[in-house]
Amino acid sequence: PSDLYEEFRHRLDAAVRARLRRAGRAGVLLSGGLDSTTVLLRARALGDTIEAFTVDQRPSHRETAAAAATAASAGVVHHVA
């Protein structure tokens, strides 16, 4: 299991790094779900300054609240549109 984890982590970090290199200023479209949270946290762990963006899907604000909590926990600026 450890080898699989390390391989996944290596590939994920390589993918995030490749996108950040191309972006200049980088941001993450953050829903508060597992995928976008993982990308945000790996980008932060790789030392990049990241901002998070969430599209508010009214009338339910659950996703926006989860994204805001994730961004705050990661210590990134969070924009909601």
Side-chain angles (χ1 to χ4, degrees), residues 15-74:
V16 170
R17 223 182 258 112
R19 272 104 189 133
L20 291 174
R21 250 195 314 257
R22 291 186 215 152
R25 272 184 70 191
V28 172
L29 184 58
L30 184 62
S31 68
L34 181 62
D35 297 350
S36 62
T37 296
T38 300
V39 171
L40 175 70
L41 295 177
R42 292 314 307 147
R44 289 283 291 151
L46 294 170
D48 285 274
T49 300
I50 300 293
E51 293 186 27
F53 299 84
T54 299
V55 177
D56 189 353
Q57 301 288 326
R58 296 184 194 269
S60 171
H61 298 284
R62 287 182 302 224
E63 191 170 273
T64 303
T70 299
S73 176

